[in-house]
Structures are given as structure tokens and as C-alpha cells.
Amino acid sequence: MRRRNFLKNASLTGVGLAVGNSLKGCQDISPDGKKVVVSDKKTALPLVIATWHVIDATARAMEILQAGGTALDAVEQGCMVEEANEKGQSVGKGGLPDRDGNVTLDACIMDKHGNCGSVVYLKNITHAVSVARKVMEDTPHVMLAGEGAKNFALKKGFQPESLLTEASKEAWEKWKVEAQYNPIINIENHDTIGMLAIDKNGDISGACTTSGLAYKMAGRVGDSPIIGSGLFVDNEIGAAVATGLGEEVVKTVGSFLVVELMRQGKTPQEACEEAIKRIVQKPNSDFNNFQVGYIAVNKHGDTGSYSIHQWFSMTKYQGSVNQQIQSDYFKKA
Ligand code: GLY
């Protein structure tokens, strides 16, 4: 079910806001004297969360986690589901192109050791997240871009293909009629898919993948392949991933900020809210015209999500429940 239809039915299915969605747990005192919530790990782990309504992707990730697989395998495989989904016009195959008609992908991945890999401006390869993983595991580098990233992928056996589907081409051709360059992420459509998982061993990994801003300038790169902006994982503390207008996330190094706020004692929910405040409370912030959303998880399996505008959501699979949870948001009427 796509997001719009889901929302129509949300009241019938009893879907609630993400506020206060942390697990039932007991209070404990951390060494620095701050109160933290300690969850019952038997029910908490494994778990996977993702930006937007992507229950097939979280289901695939959970399949791996339940079988004893690593969080790293889970987030890669989960993101691959959306990359292959041609109906999703913001990720992988079927992603909307830049203003010149090129579909260019950005992705990154980060493991429990703090290793990371990233690809930028990748063309003609559907599974950008897997190329990012190869960069992490098979090169001494963190980031490969453009032709270099594509040639690396081809050498690793990835198959080249056209990523521009008929539907995306048609949308681009319609856009060209007026071709107003207005780089606003549609707040009601899904954008970057970011996924965070904790496996049965309690280890955390994360990944994100996107075709970026629709009809962007050729060569534009957003937050998604930038470690610390689009994604950050610290296996001692937790992880965060961003969606929305990448420029605003990059300017505040958003995902790193969320994780650091959790390190200072904030819950994932509080940390996501604070990171959004850093954007909207800037002098002259134009936040009415763009969306940014964060999701986060801490080491105990508590989760949070928050966005500037309504309609951002998180998919969370924990225990036997795989569900979309509407996020709380900053801009109330
Ligand atoms: N968050 C995706 C982008 O700005 O490219």
C-alpha cells in the first residue's frame, strides 16, 4: 500500500505518533548521573527501522536478523528491496533524474566498527548500497564518485542498466514543460531510504540510498553519501539517518549530531527533535519550503523519529510487528 492510501486508513488501523514509542523498560542511572531507559532486550532485539513506509524492505532485513545474520547484511539487503522497486521514484531503479535526464544515485553504509563506504553520482547501477559496501570492504577508501564509482562497480561484477523507467521519463518530460528550478523535496512523497538495524548480538549498522533531489542540477550531491550527514553509526551509542533536503542536513551534520546528542544522554526521540530545531531555528531559515526528517535508535533498542513537516513516517519491525509509525513534527498548523 503506498503512503497516501495508508494515511487514509491510518485511523482505522490505530497507527499512532512516534512520540513516546520507546520500549517498555525500567529507569536506570548512567555513570554520569543521567537517567536512561533500559529496555528488555529479549523483546527489543533484533530490530530494524527505516525512513518512510517501506514494510517490504524492513521485512527483508528482519528475515536476515531473525536467521542470526548481521545488522550490516540486514541493512544492505533491506535497502536493496527499495532500490529494485521501480515504483519508488526517489531510490535506485525508477528514481527521478536530474534536469538533464540522468538518474544519479548516492548511497552509503556503516558497520559496527565505524567502517564506512559511500558512492556518489553513480549512474546505471541499481544497487548503489551494495557498491558502497564494496568500497568499504574492498578498497582503502571511503568514497568513490562518478565514472570511478561506476567502473569500480563494473569490475566487481555489477550489471549496467538504464535506471530511467518510462514513468520517471514521463514525469521528467512533464517537468521540462515549465522547468522551474525549485529544489524542494515533496514533503508528501518518500525520499531517501535510510535503514538502521540492531542484530541479535546487539551490534548496530546503517545504510541509506537515494536518487537525490528530483530534477537537480547535474552533479548535485546531497547528504545521503556523506558520512555524519546522511548517516552515522556509533556501536556504543546508537545510530541515525536522515531524509529530506540534503543541503540542510549537510549544513548541520545532522546524523552525527543526533548520535552525539544521544551520547550526552538524550533519548533518540529527544535527539531527533533537537537536530530538527537546529535547522528551523537558524536565523532566516526557509523551513516552510523544505522537509527534513530523522530516525534514530540507541544501543538499548529505543527509537525516535521527527521531522519539520507532517507526513514523515518511520517503518519499525520489532518482535512480530512490522508497522509504519507517523512521526511527530515541528510545524504544527
Ligand atoms: N536526502 C536526499 C538528498 O537530498 O539528496
PDB file of all heavy atoms in Angstrom, residues 151-185:
ATOM      1  N   ASN A 151      32.934   2.407 -12.784  1.00  0.00           N
ATOM      2  CA  ASN A 151      33.932   1.438 -13.266  1.00  0.00           C
ATOM      3  C   ASN A 151      34.298   0.428 -12.187  1.00  0.00           C
ATOM      4  O   ASN A 151      34.477  -0.760 -12.467  1.00  0.00           O
ATOM      5  CB  ASN A 151      35.188   2.166 -13.762  1.00  0.00           C
ATOM      6  CG  ASN A 151      34.888   2.928 -15.043  1.00  0.00           C
ATOM      7  OD1 ASN A 151      33.951   2.593 -15.764  1.00  0.00           O
ATOM      8  ND2 ASN A 151      35.673   3.950 -15.318  1.00  0.00           N
ATOM      9  N   PHE A 152      34.382   0.903 -10.961  1.00  0.00           N
ATOM     10  CA  PHE A 152      34.657   0.006  -9.831  1.00  0.00           C
ATOM     11  C   PHE A 152      33.530  -1.037  -9.717  1.00  0.00           C
ATOM     12  O   PHE A 152      33.780  -2.239  -9.576  1.00  0.00           O
ATOM     13  CB  PHE A 152      34.766   0.832  -8.543  1.00  0.00           C
ATOM     14  CG  PHE A 152      34.791   0.026  -7.281  1.00  0.00           C
ATOM     15  CD1 PHE A 152      35.936  -0.679  -6.909  1.00  0.00           C
ATOM     16  CD2 PHE A 152      33.676  -0.040  -6.449  1.00  0.00           C
ATOM     17  CE1 PHE A 152      35.965  -1.428  -5.735  1.00  0.00           C
ATOM     18  CE2 PHE A 152      33.702  -0.785  -5.273  1.00  0.00           C
ATOM     19  CZ  PHE A 152      34.847  -1.483  -4.927  1.00  0.00           C
ATOM     20  N   ALA A 153      32.280  -0.556  -9.824  1.00  0.00           N
ATOM     21  CA  ALA A 153      31.126  -1.470  -9.717  1.00  0.00           C
ATOM     22  C   ALA A 153      31.170  -2.512 -10.839  1.00  0.00           C
ATOM     23  O   ALA A 153      30.940  -3.709 -10.598  1.00  0.00           O
ATOM     24  CB  ALA A 153      29.827  -0.671  -9.763  1.00  0.00           C
ATOM     25  N   LEU A 154      31.469  -2.062 -12.043  1.00  0.00           N
ATOM     26  CA  LEU A 154      31.508  -3.000 -13.175  1.00  0.00           C
ATOM     27  C   LEU A 154      32.600  -4.053 -12.955  1.00  0.00           C
ATOM     28  O   LEU A 154      32.386  -5.239 -13.202  1.00  0.00           O
ATOM     29  CB  LEU A 154      31.749  -2.246 -14.495  1.00  0.00           C
ATOM     30  CG  LEU A 154      30.622  -1.267 -14.894  1.00  0.00           C
ATOM     31  CD1 LEU A 154      31.007  -0.495 -16.151  1.00  0.00           C
ATOM     32  CD2 LEU A 154      29.294  -2.000 -15.096  1.00  0.00           C
ATOM     33  N   LYS A 155      33.723  -3.610 -12.444  1.00  0.00           N
ATOM     34  CA  LYS A 155      34.825  -4.565 -12.163  1.00  0.00           C
ATOM     35  C   LYS A 155      34.412  -5.571 -11.094  1.00  0.00           C
ATOM     36  O   LYS A 155      34.876  -6.708 -11.079  1.00  0.00           O
ATOM     37  CB  LYS A 155      36.064  -3.808 -11.685  1.00  0.00           C
ATOM     38  CG  LYS A 155      36.898  -3.274 -12.810  1.00  0.00           C
ATOM     39  CD  LYS A 155      38.316  -2.934 -12.343  1.00  0.00           C
ATOM     40  CE  LYS A 155      38.989  -2.082 -13.391  1.00  0.00           C
ATOM     41  NZ  LYS A 155      39.286  -0.722 -12.960  1.00  0.00           N
ATOM     42  N   LYS A 156      33.544  -5.131 -10.196  1.00  0.00           N
ATOM     43  CA  LYS A 156      33.089  -6.033  -9.123  1.00  0.00           C
ATOM     44  C   LYS A 156      31.939  -6.924  -9.575  1.00  0.00           C
ATOM     45  O   LYS A 156      31.352  -7.661  -8.776  1.00  0.00           O
ATOM     46  CB  LYS A 156      32.654  -5.208  -7.901  1.00  0.00           C
ATOM     47  CG  LYS A 156      33.830  -4.576  -7.168  1.00  0.00           C
ATOM     48  CD  LYS A 156      34.626  -5.636  -6.421  1.00  0.00           C
ATOM     49  CE  LYS A 156      35.966  -5.128  -5.945  1.00  0.00           C
ATOM     50  NZ  LYS A 156      36.813  -6.182  -5.378  1.00  0.00           N
ATOM     51  N   GLY A 157      31.533  -6.775 -10.846  1.00  0.00           N
ATOM     52  CA  GLY A 157      30.524  -7.688 -11.389  1.00  0.00           C
ATOM     53  C   GLY A 157      29.103  -7.154 -11.397  1.00  0.00           C
ATOM     54  O   GLY A 157      28.173  -7.864 -11.755  1.00  0.00           O
ATOM     55  N   PHE A 158      28.902  -5.889 -11.019  1.00  0.00           N
ATOM     56  CA  PHE A 158      27.549  -5.316 -11.091  1.00  0.00           C
ATOM     57  C   PHE A 158      27.188  -5.121 -12.575  1.00  0.00           C
ATOM     58  O   PHE A 158      28.042  -4.764 -13.376  1.00  0.00           O
ATOM     59  CB  PHE A 158      27.495  -3.963 -10.364  1.00  0.00           C
ATOM     60  CG  PHE A 158      27.601  -4.085  -8.866  1.00  0.00           C
ATOM     61  CD1 PHE A 158      28.844  -4.185  -8.243  1.00  0.00           C
ATOM     62  CD2 PHE A 158      26.463  -4.108  -8.074  1.00  0.00           C
ATOM     63  CE1 PHE A 158      28.954  -4.300  -6.856  1.00  0.00           C
ATOM     64  CE2 PHE A 158      26.561  -4.222  -6.680  1.00  0.00           C
ATOM     65  CZ  PHE A 158      27.807  -4.324  -6.079  1.00  0.00           C
ATOM     66  N   GLN A 159      25.926  -5.351 -12.890  1.00  0.00           N
ATOM     67  CA  GLN A 159      25.489  -5.245 -14.279  1.00  0.00           C
ATOM     68  C   GLN A 159      24.977  -3.840 -14.586  1.00  0.00           C
ATOM     69  O   GLN A 159      24.161  -3.309 -13.828  1.00  0.00           O
ATOM     70  CB  GLN A 159      24.348  -6.241 -14.548  1.00  0.00           C
ATOM     71  CG  GLN A 159      24.770  -7.694 -14.484  1.00  0.00           C
ATOM     72  CD  GLN A 159      25.932  -8.019 -15.433  1.00  0.00           C
ATOM     73  OE1 GLN A 159      25.871  -7.699 -16.622  1.00  0.00           O
ATOM     74  NE2 GLN A 159      26.993  -8.612 -14.902  1.00  0.00           N
ATOM     75  N   PRO A 160      25.434  -3.239 -15.698  1.00  0.00           N
ATOM     76  CA  PRO A 160      24.931  -1.910 -16.049  1.00  0.00           C
ATOM     77  C   PRO A 160      23.513  -1.995 -16.610  1.00  0.00           C
ATOM     78  O   PRO A 160      23.180  -2.940 -17.309  1.00  0.00           O
ATOM     79  CB  PRO A 160      25.904  -1.451 -17.146  1.00  0.00           C
ATOM     80  CG  PRO A 160      26.423  -2.701 -17.742  1.00  0.00           C
ATOM     81  CD  PRO A 160      26.396  -3.758 -16.670  1.00  0.00           C
ATOM     82  N   GLU A 161      22.683  -1.042 -16.278  1.00  0.00           N
ATOM     83  CA  GLU A 161      21.331  -0.987 -16.855  1.00  0.00           C
ATOM     84  C   GLU A 161      20.814   0.442 -16.825  1.00  0.00           C
ATOM     85  O   GLU A 161      21.306   1.280 -16.066  1.00  0.00           O
ATOM     86  CB  GLU A 161      20.374  -1.924 -16.114  1.00  0.00           C
ATOM     87  CG  GLU A 161      20.253  -1.650 -14.636  1.00  0.00           C
ATOM     88  CD  GLU A 161      19.316  -2.628 -13.934  1.00  0.00           C
ATOM     89  OE1 GLU A 161      18.313  -3.057 -14.531  1.00  0.00           O
ATOM     90  OE2 GLU A 161      19.585  -2.956 -12.776  1.00  0.00           O
ATOM     91  N   SER A 162      19.813   0.692 -17.668  1.00  0.00           N
ATOM     92  CA  SER A 162      19.195   2.022 -17.640  1.00  0.00           C
ATOM     93  C   SER A 162      18.332   2.119 -16.384  1.00  0.00           C
ATOM     94  O   SER A 162      17.536   1.228 -16.103  1.00  0.00           O
ATOM     95  CB  SER A 162      18.335   2.229 -18.879  1.00  0.00           C
ATOM     96  OG  SER A 162      17.591   3.406 -18.693  1.00  0.00           O
ATOM     97  N   LEU A 163      18.472   3.192 -15.647  1.00  0.00           N
ATOM     98  CA  LEU A 163      17.674   3.362 -14.415  1.00  0.00           C
ATOM     99  C   LEU A 163      16.442   4.233 -14.663  1.00  0.00           C
ATOM    100  O   LEU A 163      15.583   4.347 -13.794  1.00  0.00           O
ATOM    101  CB  LEU A 163      18.542   3.985 -13.317  1.00  0.00           C
ATOM    102  CG  LEU A 163      19.822   3.219 -12.940  1.00  0.00           C
ATOM    103  CD1 LEU A 163      20.568   3.935 -11.812  1.00  0.00           C
ATOM    104  CD2 LEU A 163      19.523   1.774 -12.539  1.00  0.00           C
ATOM    105  N   LEU A 164      16.392   4.848 -15.841  1.00  0.00           N
ATOM    106  CA  LEU A 164      15.269   5.753 -16.145  1.00  0.00           C
ATOM    107  C   LEU A 164      14.100   4.930 -16.686  1.00  0.00           C
ATOM    108  O   LEU A 164      14.133   4.452 -17.817  1.00  0.00           O
ATOM    109  CB  LEU A 164      15.704   6.805 -17.174  1.00  0.00           C
ATOM    110  CG  LEU A 164      14.725   7.942 -17.432  1.00  0.00           C
ATOM    111  CD1 LEU A 164      14.520   8.795 -16.176  1.00  0.00           C
ATOM    112  CD2 LEU A 164      15.204   8.816 -18.586  1.00  0.00           C
ATOM    113  N   THR A 165      13.071   4.742 -15.885  1.00  0.00           N
ATOM    114  CA  THR A 165      11.905   3.973 -16.321  1.00  0.00           C
ATOM    115  C   THR A 165      10.987   4.876 -17.154  1.00  0.00           C
ATOM    116  O   THR A 165      11.122   6.111 -17.139  1.00  0.00           O
ATOM    117  CB  THR A 165      11.124   3.461 -15.100  1.00  0.00           C
ATOM    118  OG1 THR A 165      10.801   4.600 -14.284  1.00  0.00           O
ATOM    119  CG2 THR A 165      11.922   2.464 -14.297  1.00  0.00           C
ATOM    120  N   GLU A 166      10.035   4.257 -17.819  1.00  0.00           N
ATOM    121  CA  GLU A 166       9.075   5.036 -18.624  1.00  0.00           C
ATOM    122  C   GLU A 166       8.351   6.060 -17.751  1.00  0.00           C
ATOM    123  O   GLU A 166       8.175   7.214 -18.127  1.00  0.00           O
ATOM    124  CB  GLU A 166       8.052   4.098 -19.285  1.00  0.00           C
ATOM    125  CG  GLU A 166       8.528   3.513 -20.600  1.00  0.00           C
ATOM    126  CD  GLU A 166       9.095   4.567 -21.563  1.00  0.00           C
ATOM    127  OE1 GLU A 166       8.398   5.564 -21.832  1.00  0.00           O
ATOM    128  OE2 GLU A 166      10.240   4.400 -22.029  1.00  0.00           O
ATOM    129  N   ALA A 167       7.933   5.632 -16.552  1.00  0.00           N
ATOM    130  CA  ALA A 167       7.179   6.539 -15.658  1.00  0.00           C
ATOM    131  C   ALA A 167       8.037   7.738 -15.244  1.00  0.00           C
ATOM    132  O   ALA A 167       7.563   8.881 -15.228  1.00  0.00           O
ATOM    133  CB  ALA A 167       6.699   5.782 -14.431  1.00  0.00           C
ATOM    134  N   SER A 168       9.306   7.492 -14.925  1.00  0.00           N
ATOM    135  CA  SER A 168      10.169   8.595 -14.498  1.00  0.00           C
ATOM    136  C   SER A 168      10.504   9.509 -15.676  1.00  0.00           C
ATOM    137  O   SER A 168      10.603  10.730 -15.525  1.00  0.00           O
ATOM    138  CB  SER A 168      11.446   8.057 -13.857  1.00  0.00           C
ATOM    139  OG  SER A 168      11.111   7.426 -12.646  1.00  0.00           O
ATOM    140  N   LYS A 169      10.661   8.911 -16.856  1.00  0.00           N
ATOM    141  CA  LYS A 169      10.940   9.716 -18.053  1.00  0.00           C
ATOM    142  C   LYS A 169       9.746  10.637 -18.348  1.00  0.00           C
ATOM    143  O   LYS A 169       9.892  11.817 -18.644  1.00  0.00           O
ATOM    144  CB  LYS A 169      11.192   8.771 -19.235  1.00  0.00           C
ATOM    145  CG  LYS A 169      11.750   9.467 -20.443  1.00  0.00           C
ATOM    146  CD  LYS A 169      12.241   8.459 -21.459  1.00  0.00           C
ATOM    147  CE  LYS A 169      12.642   9.200 -22.709  1.00  0.00           C
ATOM    148  NZ  LYS A 169      12.191   8.595 -23.927  1.00  0.00           N
ATOM    149  N   GLU A 170       8.557  10.050 -18.217  1.00  0.00           N
ATOM    150  CA  GLU A 170       7.331  10.819 -18.472  1.00  0.00           C
ATOM    151  C   GLU A 170       7.220  11.994 -17.477  1.00  0.00           C
ATOM    152  O   GLU A 170       6.914  13.120 -17.865  1.00  0.00           O
ATOM    153  CB  GLU A 170       6.140   9.886 -18.285  1.00  0.00           C
ATOM    154  CG  GLU A 170       4.918  10.273 -19.073  1.00  0.00           C
ATOM    155  CD  GLU A 170       3.835   9.210 -18.874  1.00  0.00           C
ATOM    156  OE1 GLU A 170       4.023   8.066 -19.344  1.00  0.00           O
ATOM    157  OE2 GLU A 170       2.846   9.537 -18.194  1.00  0.00           O
ATOM    158  N   ALA A 171       7.506  11.712 -16.207  1.00  0.00           N
ATOM    159  CA  ALA A 171       7.435  12.775 -15.180  1.00  0.00           C
ATOM    160  C   ALA A 171       8.452  13.874 -15.486  1.00  0.00           C
ATOM    161  O   ALA A 171       8.161  15.072 -15.366  1.00  0.00           O
ATOM    162  CB  ALA A 171       7.697  12.175 -13.801  1.00  0.00           C
ATOM    163  N   TRP A 172       9.644  13.477 -15.913  1.00  0.00           N
ATOM    164  CA  TRP A 172      10.701  14.452 -16.230  1.00  0.00           C
ATOM    165  C   TRP A 172      10.283  15.302 -17.435  1.00  0.00           C
ATOM    166  O   TRP A 172      10.457  16.513 -17.445  1.00  0.00           O
ATOM    167  CB  TRP A 172      12.006  13.690 -16.514  1.00  0.00           C
ATOM    168  CG  TRP A 172      13.111  14.511 -17.085  1.00  0.00           C
ATOM    169  CD1 TRP A 172      13.686  15.614 -16.531  1.00  0.00           C
ATOM    170  CD2 TRP A 172      13.783  14.287 -18.331  1.00  0.00           C
ATOM    171  NE1 TRP A 172      14.693  16.090 -17.345  1.00  0.00           N
ATOM    172  CE2 TRP A 172      14.772  15.292 -18.456  1.00  0.00           C
ATOM    173  CE3 TRP A 172      13.663  13.335 -19.350  1.00  0.00           C
ATOM    174  CZ2 TRP A 172      15.625  15.372 -19.566  1.00  0.00           C
ATOM    175  CZ3 TRP A 172      14.523  13.399 -20.438  1.00  0.00           C
ATOM    176  CH2 TRP A 172      15.478  14.409 -20.545  1.00  0.00           C
ATOM    177  N   GLU A 173       9.677  14.629 -18.443  1.00  0.00           N
ATOM    178  CA  GLU A 173       9.263  15.385 -19.632  1.00  0.00           C
ATOM    179  C   GLU A 173       8.166  16.388 -19.298  1.00  0.00           C
ATOM    180  O   GLU A 173       8.159  17.501 -19.801  1.00  0.00           O
ATOM    181  CB  GLU A 173       8.869  14.430 -20.758  1.00  0.00           C
ATOM    182  CG  GLU A 173      10.113  14.085 -21.556  1.00  0.00           C
ATOM    183  CD  GLU A 173      10.025  12.828 -22.395  1.00  0.00           C
ATOM    184  OE1 GLU A 173       8.965  12.170 -22.370  1.00  0.00           O
ATOM    185  OE2 GLU A 173      11.043  12.516 -23.057  1.00  0.00           O
ATOM    186  N   LYS A 174       7.290  16.010 -18.393  1.00  0.00           N
ATOM    187  CA  LYS A 174       6.245  16.939 -17.936  1.00  0.00           C
ATOM    188  C   LYS A 174       6.896  18.107 -17.213  1.00  0.00           C
ATOM    189  O   LYS A 174       6.525  19.261 -17.395  1.00  0.00           O
ATOM    190  CB  LYS A 174       5.302  16.212 -16.962  1.00  0.00           C
ATOM    191  CG  LYS A 174       3.883  16.139 -17.464  1.00  0.00           C
ATOM    192  CD  LYS A 174       2.982  15.545 -16.412  1.00  0.00           C
ATOM    193  CE  LYS A 174       2.148  14.463 -17.059  1.00  0.00           C
ATOM    194  NZ  LYS A 174       1.511  13.581 -16.117  1.00  0.00           N
ATOM    195  N   TRP A 175       7.866  17.812 -16.365  1.00  0.00           N
ATOM    196  CA  TRP A 175       8.557  18.867 -15.602  1.00  0.00           C
ATOM    197  C   TRP A 175       9.242  19.841 -16.543  1.00  0.00           C
ATOM    198  O   TRP A 175       9.236  21.048 -16.329  1.00  0.00           O
ATOM    199  CB  TRP A 175       9.587  18.232 -14.660  1.00  0.00           C
ATOM    200  CG  TRP A 175      10.452  19.252 -13.974  1.00  0.00           C
ATOM    201  CD1 TRP A 175      10.142  19.980 -12.873  1.00  0.00           C
ATOM    202  CD2 TRP A 175      11.762  19.671 -14.378  1.00  0.00           C
ATOM    203  NE1 TRP A 175      11.182  20.830 -12.549  1.00  0.00           N
ATOM    204  CE2 TRP A 175      12.190  20.659 -13.462  1.00  0.00           C
ATOM    205  CE3 TRP A 175      12.630  19.318 -15.418  1.00  0.00           C
ATOM    206  CZ2 TRP A 175      13.430  21.292 -13.551  1.00  0.00           C
ATOM    207  CZ3 TRP A 175      13.862  19.936 -15.513  1.00  0.00           C
ATOM    208  CH2 TRP A 175      14.246  20.920 -14.585  1.00  0.00           C
ATOM    209  N   LYS A 176       9.786  19.311 -17.655  1.00  0.00           N
ATOM    210  CA  LYS A 176      10.545  20.165 -18.587  1.00  0.00           C
ATOM    211  C   LYS A 176       9.670  21.222 -19.263  1.00  0.00           C
ATOM    212  O   LYS A 176      10.188  22.230 -19.716  1.00  0.00           O
ATOM    213  CB  LYS A 176      11.215  19.305 -19.663  1.00  0.00           C
ATOM    214  CG  LYS A 176      12.517  18.697 -19.187  1.00  0.00           C
ATOM    215  CD  LYS A 176      13.381  18.250 -20.348  1.00  0.00           C
ATOM    216  CE  LYS A 176      12.725  17.135 -21.144  1.00  0.00           C
ATOM    217  NZ  LYS A 176      13.545  16.650 -22.241  1.00  0.00           N
ATOM    218  N   VAL A 177       8.361  20.988 -19.337  1.00  0.00           N
ATOM    219  CA  VAL A 177       7.470  21.943 -19.999  1.00  0.00           C
ATOM    220  C   VAL A 177       7.608  23.305 -19.333  1.00  0.00           C
ATOM    221  O   VAL A 177       7.718  24.332 -19.998  1.00  0.00           O
ATOM    222  CB  VAL A 177       6.005  21.451 -19.945  1.00  0.00           C
ATOM    223  CG1 VAL A 177       5.055  22.491 -20.505  1.00  0.00           C
ATOM    224  CG2 VAL A 177       5.885  20.134 -20.682  1.00  0.00           C
ATOM    225  N   GLU A 178       7.642  23.311 -18.011  1.00  0.00           N
ATOM    226  CA  GLU A 178       7.846  24.602 -17.318  1.00  0.00           C
ATOM    227  C   GLU A 178       9.255  24.716 -16.746  1.00  0.00           C
ATOM    228  O   GLU A 178       9.787  25.811 -16.627  1.00  0.00           O
ATOM    229  CB  GLU A 178       6.816  24.759 -16.198  1.00  0.00           C
ATOM    230  CG  GLU A 178       5.440  24.932 -16.788  1.00  0.00           C
ATOM    231  CD  GLU A 178       4.437  25.442 -15.791  1.00  0.00           C
ATOM    232  OE1 GLU A 178       4.845  25.929 -14.725  1.00  0.00           O
ATOM    233  OE2 GLU A 178       3.250  25.329 -16.091  1.00  0.00           O
ATOM    234  N   ALA A 179       9.833  23.614 -16.394  1.00  0.00           N
ATOM    235  CA  ALA A 179      11.221  23.519 -15.928  1.00  0.00           C
ATOM    236  C   ALA A 179      11.611  24.603 -14.937  1.00  0.00           C
ATOM    237  O   ALA A 179      12.651  25.218 -15.062  1.00  0.00           O
ATOM    238  CB  ALA A 179      12.171  23.523 -17.118  1.00  0.00           C
ATOM    239  N   GLN A 180      10.740  24.806 -13.958  1.00  0.00           N
ATOM    240  CA  GLN A 180      11.119  25.779 -12.926  1.00  0.00           C
ATOM    241  C   GLN A 180      12.047  25.090 -11.937  1.00  0.00           C
ATOM    242  O   GLN A 180      11.710  24.032 -11.417  1.00  0.00           O
ATOM    243  CB  GLN A 180       9.879  26.280 -12.211  1.00  0.00           C
ATOM    244  CG  GLN A 180       9.121  27.232 -13.091  1.00  0.00           C
ATOM    245  CD  GLN A 180       7.906  27.794 -12.393  1.00  0.00           C
ATOM    246  OE1 GLN A 180       7.660  27.494 -11.235  1.00  0.00           O
ATOM    247  NE2 GLN A 180       7.163  28.592 -13.104  1.00  0.00           N
ATOM    248  N   TYR A 181      13.182  25.672 -11.714  1.00  0.00           N
ATOM    249  CA  TYR A 181      14.137  25.037 -10.818  1.00  0.00           C
ATOM    250  C   TYR A 181      13.820  25.402  -9.387  1.00  0.00           C
ATOM    251  O   TYR A 181      14.128  26.482  -8.921  1.00  0.00           O
ATOM    252  CB  TYR A 181      15.560  25.430 -11.171  1.00  0.00           C
ATOM    253  CG  TYR A 181      16.546  24.578 -10.408  1.00  0.00           C
ATOM    254  CD1 TYR A 181      16.412  23.194 -10.394  1.00  0.00           C
ATOM    255  CD2 TYR A 181      17.571  25.149  -9.689  1.00  0.00           C
ATOM    256  CE1 TYR A 181      17.281  22.402  -9.694  1.00  0.00           C
ATOM    257  CE2 TYR A 181      18.456  24.362  -8.984  1.00  0.00           C
ATOM    258  CZ  TYR A 181      18.304  22.982  -8.993  1.00  0.00           C
ATOM    259  OH  TYR A 181      19.178  22.191  -8.288  1.00  0.00           O
ATOM    260  N   ASN A 182      13.166  24.503  -8.745  1.00  0.00           N
ATOM    261  CA  ASN A 182      12.698  24.776  -7.407  1.00  0.00           C
ATOM    262  C   ASN A 182      13.053  23.574  -6.542  1.00  0.00           C
ATOM    263  O   ASN A 182      12.284  22.625  -6.450  1.00  0.00           O
ATOM    264  CB  ASN A 182      11.167  24.968  -7.480  1.00  0.00           C
ATOM    265  CG  ASN A 182      10.652  25.613  -6.232  1.00  0.00           C
ATOM    266  OD1 ASN A 182      11.422  26.063  -5.401  1.00  0.00           O
ATOM    267  ND2 ASN A 182       9.339  25.644  -6.091  1.00  0.00           N
ATOM    268  N   PRO A 183      14.230  23.568  -5.982  1.00  0.00           N
ATOM    269  CA  PRO A 183      14.719  22.337  -5.351  1.00  0.00           C
ATOM    270  C   PRO A 183      14.065  22.024  -4.009  1.00  0.00           C
ATOM    271  O   PRO A 183      14.650  22.137  -2.955  1.00  0.00           O
ATOM    272  CB  PRO A 183      16.206  22.611  -5.183  1.00  0.00           C
ATOM    273  CG  PRO A 183      16.290  24.081  -5.025  1.00  0.00           C
ATOM    274  CD  PRO A 183      15.173  24.665  -5.827  1.00  0.00           C
ATOM    275  N   ILE A 184      12.803  21.652  -4.080  1.00  0.00           N
ATOM    276  CA  ILE A 184      12.075  21.346  -2.846  1.00  0.00           C
ATOM    277  C   ILE A 184      11.723  19.865  -2.839  1.00  0.00           C
ATOM    278  O   ILE A 184      11.164  19.346  -3.797  1.00  0.00           O
ATOM    279  CB  ILE A 184      10.786  22.185  -2.761  1.00  0.00           C
ATOM    280  CG1 ILE A 184      11.155  23.647  -2.598  1.00  0.00           C
ATOM    281  CG2 ILE A 184       9.917  21.715  -1.608  1.00  0.00           C
ATOM    282  CD1 ILE A 184       9.989  24.584  -2.720  1.00  0.00           C
ATOM    283  N   ILE A 185      12.056  19.214  -1.764  1.00  0.00           N
ATOM    284  CA  ILE A 185      11.665  17.809  -1.636  1.00  0.00           C
ATOM    285  C   ILE A 185      10.182  17.792  -1.302  1.00  0.00           C
ATOM    286  O   ILE A 185       9.732  18.476  -0.397  1.00  0.00           O
ATOM    287  CB  ILE A 185      12.453  17.137  -0.512  1.00  0.00           C
ATOM    288  CG1 ILE A 185      13.942  17.156  -0.850  1.00  0.00           C
ATOM    289  CG2 ILE A 185      11.901  15.754  -0.218  1.00  0.00           C
ATOM    290  CD1 ILE A 185      14.576  15.863  -1.194  1.00  0.00           C
TER     291      ILE A 185
END
